[in-house]
Structures are given as structure tokens and as C-alpha cells.
Amino acid sequence: MMRYADGMDCIFCKIIAGTIPSKKVYEDGQIYAFADIDPKAPVHILLVPKKHIPSLAVTDPADAQLLGQLQLAAGKIADEQQLSGGYRTVINTGLDGGQTVFHLHLHLLGGRQMHWPPG
Ligand code: 5GP
Ligand code: ZN
């Protein structure tokens, strides 16, 4: 049984609260977006719900609006970052998915040619 961090010891909850510094890119009532500390592309932004949700695997229909807002915010930020040639959005889920921080987040990657399949 995996133990999920709760808000008290979650690194992204601390970033949202401002107790760990971050380079803010966007914020609204539900979402906070900031630069990834270890960027994998010229633009690498993480969008997180302010509500602590450990992963996509534990979302339910009540989260539909929030998940939609995350995607829409990613598109808006991509426009602001002038990623007119395209970009990639990724949600890594669980250990097999490569998730390392168990607070749901959407990666927005751009500024270079992406490859497929991902590693
Ligand atoms: P995951 O591997 O869970 O999909 O993505 C976690 C991401 O969080 C990684 O890309 C990693 O570089 C980023 N990250 C981890 N710790 C921090 C941090 O303290 N600050 C920021 N800005 N990004 C972080
Ligand atoms: Zn959290």
C-alpha cells in the first residue's frame, strides 16, 4: 500500500503555500503554475491544483471541472509563452508512469522538438 503525502509534508503544497520558493508563472483560484526546477525543455512548467490530490489515479467525477481547468490553463500559458509551433502536456501517474511527486501535476513542455515514444 503506497503512502501518499498529505498537505503537511507535500512539496507542492508547500510551493503553493509559499513556504518553498518557486518561479510563479500563473495562478487562479484553483490552480498554481511554476517553472520546473529541473527543466527537460526550454519551457517546462508544472500546473498543480491548489487542492492536494495525490495523482490522476485517485480523481473522480467531482474533479472533472478542475481537470478541465488544468488543461485550459496549460493552453493559455502555452500561448503566453509563445509556443505557437506546439507543445506537449504530460501527466505522469504512479510509479510505472514515472510520477515522483505525489501531488497531481500537469507538465507543459515546449521550445524544442518533442519525440515519440517518450522514454
Ligand atoms: P513527476 O516526475 O512527478 O511527473 O514530476 C515532478 C517534477 O517536479 C519533476 O519534473 C521535478 O523536476 C519537479 N520538482 C521536484 N521538486 C521540485 C521543487 O522543489 N521545485 C520545482 N520547481 N520543481 C520540482
Ligand atoms: Zn500536495
Side-chain angles (χ1 to χ4, degrees):
M1 178 75 172
M2 181 178 291
R3 185 186 163 274
Y4 292 122
D6 62 20
M8 300 300 287
D9 59 2
C10 168
I11 195 164
F12 287 176
C13 282
K14 289 178 181 168
I15 284 174
I16 295 160
T19 53
I20 292 177
S22 66
K23 286 186 196 163
K24 179 166 105 172
V25 175
Y26 172 83
E27 182 173 17
D28 63 28
Q30 297 185 99
I31 293 165
Y32 186 77
F34 54 102
D36 195 293
I37 203 167
D38 181 18
K40 307 298 190 295
V43 175
H44 188 173
I45 293 163
L46 302 174
L47 291 87
V48 300
K50 290 184 172 176
K51 173 186 165 190
H52 179 83
I53 301 173
S55 88
L56 191 64
V58 293
T59 53
D60 64 36
D63 298 312
Q65 193 266 351
L66 178 58
L67 291 169
Q69 291 299 326
L70 266 185
Q71 308 264 8
L72 289 168
K76 184 175 161 180
I77 294 167
D79 285 347
E80 287 169 2
Q81 298 283 325
Q82 300 176 328
L83 299 177
S84 55
Y87 52 89
R88 182 168 292 173
T89 53
V90 176
I91 298 177
N92 295 324
T93 303
L95 297 179
D96 280 3
Q99 186 176 3
T100 59
V101 176
F102 284 82
H103 179 130
L104 175 65
H105 51 282
L106 186 149
H107 296 256
L108 170 63
L109 297 143
R112 66 168 171 82
Q113 177 65 57
M114 297 296 155
H115 303 288
W116 195 262

